[in-house]
Structures are given as C-alpha cells and as structure tokens.
Amino acid sequence: MSAAAGEGAIQVPVIAIDGPGGVGKGTLSRHLAGHLGFHLLDSGALYRLVALGAKEQSVALDDEQGLADLGRQLDVEFRLGADDEIARPVLRGRLVGEELRSERCGDDASRIAGYPRVREALLARQRAFRRPPGLVADGRDMGSVVFPDAALKIFLTASVEERAQRRYKQLIGKGIGVNLAPLLGEISARDKRDRERSVAPMKPASDAVVIDTTTLGIDGVFEQVMKIASERGISGP
Ligand code: DC
C-alpha cells in the first residue's frame, strides 16, 4: 500500500457490516451512518443494479464479460431522498426502488456476483464511496476483500428460520402475499451460493467481530456495535 493510500485509510475510517440476507445489515448500517454522520455504501444494491441493467439492456445473465462491462459503465447515481437520509439509486436517469428489492432481483444479483470479472468491475466503484468523515459499508465481502483495512469489521449472523420470518413479515407488511416455506428455501439457496462461490465468498474476515442477532433486536445490536466503535476511537465529525 502506498503512503498516500495509508494516510487516506487512517483519515477515513470504514465500518464494514457483512453477513447473509435478512440479518439486519441494512437497518444497522443506516442507523450507524446516521448516528456517526458517515457515508453509506449498500454494496448489494450495486450487484442488484447490474442484474437490473442487464435485463434492460438484454445482456444475458451468463455473459460474464458483458456483465462486467455493464458494471464498469453502469450509469447510476445515489440521490438522497427528500424525506430521509437513504440514498436512492437512479439508473440511467430513472429512480429504481421496489424492483431492486424484489427476491427475483436479489437472486439474479447473487448469481452474477459469482463472476470474478463482475466483482472486479465493481471494486473501484465501491472503494470510491470512502470519503471523509467515514463510511459504513454493507455487504458480504466488505471486511474480507473491499476494505481489508476497515477500522471495524462486524459480521452479523442469525438462524435461517429467523431471517425467513423477518422477511416474511416485511413482505406481508407491504401487502405482498408469500408463503414462508418457499421463502425459507430461497434464502437457504442464496446463502449457500454466496458462501460457496470461489471468489470473495461470504465469510467473516479473520479480524471480524461476529454478532448473532437471532434473539437480539436492532437496538441491542446497534448499542453493541457503537460500544466497540467508541472503544476503537471511531466517532463522528
Ligand atoms: O445484500 P443484498 O441482498 O442486496 O445482495 C444481493 C446479492 O448480491 C447477494 O445475494 C450476493 C451479492 N452481493 C455480493 O456478492 N457481495 C456484496 N458485497 C453484496 C452483495
């Protein structure tokens, strides 16, 4: 690492929040970023955006090079919503919300995320989110690959049954009719794919703090992470 990169790393702390889908990474990351006044990277959204862009531009989901080119050139920006601090992705000038969060899009994202060239194409884009005063980065490989020098690495876990329940309640709350059993099957399949891929598999970095959220509410997790962050001297501006 060059001296300049080293200095930057010290000046701009990263908190990496990794773990499987439905574990509460997104909620925790938003709370942390809001509390600390840090920037936020939802790296899963980038994989989802490539999957969505591929559909729109007729790039096949098994065309690794085509997908990688799309990832590198992806015309996307994240705009802050008027009502809150959540940055919303704007793909080729069009705000994309619900379609990005669908199970289908998540599954497509998980499939294309197995391609090394797609991951490589998104690397610089993800690292560009690191800007003062700090960054909370949410994903699968934030601590292990994208920000190996993160000041704090958290890996959240929860039983697959609990995560399926959470997702089920979320979908029902939105008025979307689903059955629990197939949802549980889909979540397990996606976990397995994300965990077993050969490049940047989902796993805790060797220096990550692993927190089981199965019986812990978001407030409990948030307090625990803030305590560790303050012990490490990570604070807002
Ligand atoms: O977090 P999410 O559900 O939005 O992510 C969708 C998929 O994208 C996930 O199943 C695997 C992939 N992904 C990844 O491989 N690496 C990341 N850092 C984030 C997401």
Side-chain angles (χ1 to χ4, degrees):
M1 184 187 283
S2 70
E7 276 165 30
I10 292 163
Q11 283 163 10
V12 185
V14 174
I15 300 181
I17 308 289
D18 288 304
V23 79
K25 298 186 304 279
T27 310
L28 174 65
S29 299
R30 281 197 296 278
H31 282 216
L32 288 171
H35 192 81
L36 293 166
F38 281 12
H39 298 281
L40 184 64
L41 164 62
D42 171 2
S43 63
L46 292 178
Y47 288 93
R48 287 172 186 259
L49 282 160
V50 175
L52 202 63
K55 286 254 157 82
E56 288 182 2
Q57 296 182 52
S58 305
V59 176
L61 290 186
D62 60 358
D63 175 2
E64 177 171 0
Q65 191 55 49
L67 293 165
D69 291 344
L70 195 64
R72 204 165 279 111
Q73 294 151 13
L74 204 61
D75 177 11
V76 63
E77 57 166 315
F78 288 85
R79 265 185 221 154
L80 280 186
D83 48 343
D84 53 35
E85 288 300 297
I86 302 170
R88 293 163 201 279
V90 178
L91 181 64
R92 300 203 295 157
R94 185 173 60 87
L95 191 66
V96 283
E98 283 304 305
E99 53 193 311
L100 205 65
R101 308 272 31 123
S102 73
E103 295 304 308
R104 181 64 204 264
C105 189
D107 201 63
D108 288 346
S110 166
R111 287 173 197 278
I112 66 167
Y115 290 126
R117 279 181 271 175
V118 172
R119 303 201 73 85
E120 176 61 33
L122 293 180
L123 207 52
R125 200 177 264 272
Q126 293 174 84
R127 289 184 175 149
F129 278 78
R130 185 178 202 165
R131 293 191 305 271
L135 175 70
V136 179
D138 153 357
R140 304 288 188 289
D141 61 342
M142 298 295 99
S144 56
V145 175
V146 182
F147 301 107
D149 62 344
L152 175 56
K153 300 176 186 179
I154 302 289
F155 192 93
L156 300 182
T157 65
S159 71
V160 66
E161 291 79 12
E162 173 62 21
R163 288 185 285 122
Q165 275 287 350
R166 289 179 193 170
R167 185 75 183 131
Y168 176 76
K169 283 186 195 148
Q170 205 179 40
L171 291 171
I172 295 290
K174 284 186 191 167
I176 302 171
V178 279
N179 289 317
L180 189 57
L183 197 58
L184 199 137
E186 283 164 24
I187 291 175
S188 301
R190 181 128 71 96
D191 280 358
K192 184 167 156 41
R193 197 183 308 121
D194 291 347
R195 214 174 30 231
E196 293 182 355
R197 67 176 171 233
S198 57
V199 55
M202 170 176 70
K203 64 166 185 210
S206 56
D207 50 350
V209 179
V210 179
I211 302 176
D212 187 343
T213 74
T214 306
T215 57
L216 209 57
I218 176 66
D219 292 344
V221 181
F222 175 75
E223 274 166 31
Q224 214 168 311
V225 175
M226 279 306 296
K227 184 165 174 288
I228 309 171
S230 82
E231 282 165 5
R232 297 198 183 180
I234 305 169
S235 58

